[in-house]
Amino acid sequence: MEDSKKMTWKTLTFIAFSAVWGFGNVANGFMYFNGTQVIFSWVLMFALYFVPYALMVGELGSAFKTSGGGVSSWINNTMGPKIAYYAG
């Protein structure tokens, strides 16, 4: 039963993709780079950016469960309030 409450890395990656990159950029890249030629860059961006990003956010979110501030609270707990202010 507890496994049903966990997000998979695929779900986190899709959340990161839609929040950071967005579907509008996908359509613009498809039109600008002449169709299917852009698919290689999409796969490369997905593998080199979105998968590691999703894994890092998932790890930080599970490490600081009681912190509700996201990146600023993670940095505050690890590096101090001054750097957390700059990150925010």
Side-chain angles (χ1 to χ4, degrees):
M1 185 71 167
E2 190 171 325
D3 290 334
S4 66
K5 293 183 179 183
K6 293 182 180 178
M7 278 189 182
T8 63
W9 69 269
K10 295 175 188 176
T11 305
L12 285 171
T13 304
F14 183 72
I15 291 170
F17 172 79
S18 60
V20 175
W21 186 251
F23 290 105
N25 289 334
V26 172
N28 291 338
F30 189 79
M31 289 180 266
Y32 182 74
F33 290 112
N34 198 14
T36 57
Q37 295 174 356
V38 77
I39 292 175
F40 176 74
S41 67
W42 292 343
V43 171
L44 196 65
M45 282 186 288
F46 185 79
L48 295 178
Y49 181 75
F50 292 111
V51 171
Y53 179 79
L55 293 173
M56 287 186 291
V57 169
E59 181 70 26
L60 287 170
S62 66
F64 302 108
K65 293 179 182 177
T66 58
S67 300
V71 176
S72 295
S73 63
W74 301 338
I75 293 176
N76 185 29
N77 289 330
T78 56
M79 302 178 90
K82 185 176 182 180
I83 297 176
Y85 173 76
Y86 292 134

